[in-house]
Amino acid sequence: MVMAAAPSQAATVSFYLNESNRLPDNINYLSVSLTENLTGGVDVLARTLDPLSNLSAKCYGIQKFSFSFNDGTTGDITGLPDGWKVKSRRHVGFGKFDTSISGKEGARTDILSFTINGVGIDDFEPFFAAKVAGLDNKSGHSSAFFSGSLENGITSVAVPASVLLLSSGLMGLVG
């Protein structure tokens, strides 16, 4: 029972990139989730949502994803898709970011997942940006930049192991 009481994650923050340089604002274009993992890092998951998927054309997907850390914090990025690279101090549509990851045309993806080791959610500055390319040219644009803030996100925290252990003990007593 003690093994079953271990939490699977410390915390998760989910938010949307809903501002655009080319498309109408206040529409949820991409979702982003930051999840603290048990190995001392943050798992990042970004995915395009229907308002963009409906505009998809050839080689559609996220091409760049950018963020910065507080006070010069750095982390080791692992688990990037094939063809993706980490670049420092890049301008991505809405400003300059400490860290930008990008993939070439053939490496674009509608779901981007990777891990940043050695950081926690509190180490991130709130502003994030992404570039999505391969949009239908009928919309007038083949790519667009999107931004959003984790301050507008929803936070969830896993139930501590002690609560689960206490609950299983109480159920044992009742039984």
Side-chain angles (χ1 to χ4, degrees), residues 12 24 31 37 46 48 55-56 61-62 67 73 87 92 151 162 173 175:
T12 298
S31 67
N37 61 39
T48 59
L55 298 174
S56 66
I62 302 168
F67 53 91
T73 299
K87 299 184 178 187
V92 179
E151 291 177 339
S162 57
L173 285 174

Side-chain angles (χ1 to χ4, degrees), residues 92-172:
V92 179
F94 288 95
K96 197 172 227 179
F97 292 86
D98 292 342
T99 306
S100 181
I101 59 170
S102 61
K104 296 196 182 287
E105 183 176 319
R108 294 177 190 156
T109 181
D110 58 340
I111 298 174
L112 176 62
S113 177
F114 59 94
T115 298
I116 308 170
N117 300 298
V119 299
I121 291 173
D122 292 339
D123 292 321
F124 287 90
E125 287 188 2
F127 198 58
F128 287 72
K131 176 183 179 185
V132 176
L135 299 176
D136 184 357
N137 281 329
K138 292 177 205 165
S139 68
H141 309 287
S142 62
S143 66
F145 292 100
F146 303 91
S147 69
S149 176
L150 68 88
E151 291 177 339
N152 297 330
I154 298 170
T155 304
S156 62
V157 178
V159 176
S162 57
V163 172
L164 294 172
L165 186 58
L166 176 64
S167 297
S168 63
L170 288 174
M171 288 182 355

Side-chain angles (χ1 to χ4, degrees), residues 8-15 33-36 121 150 153-160:
S8 62
Q9 63 191 30
T12 298
V13 176
S14 298
F15 56 98
S33 293
L34 306 177
T35 303
E36 290 180 336
I121 291 173
L150 68 88
I154 298 170
T155 304
S156 62
V157 178
V159 176

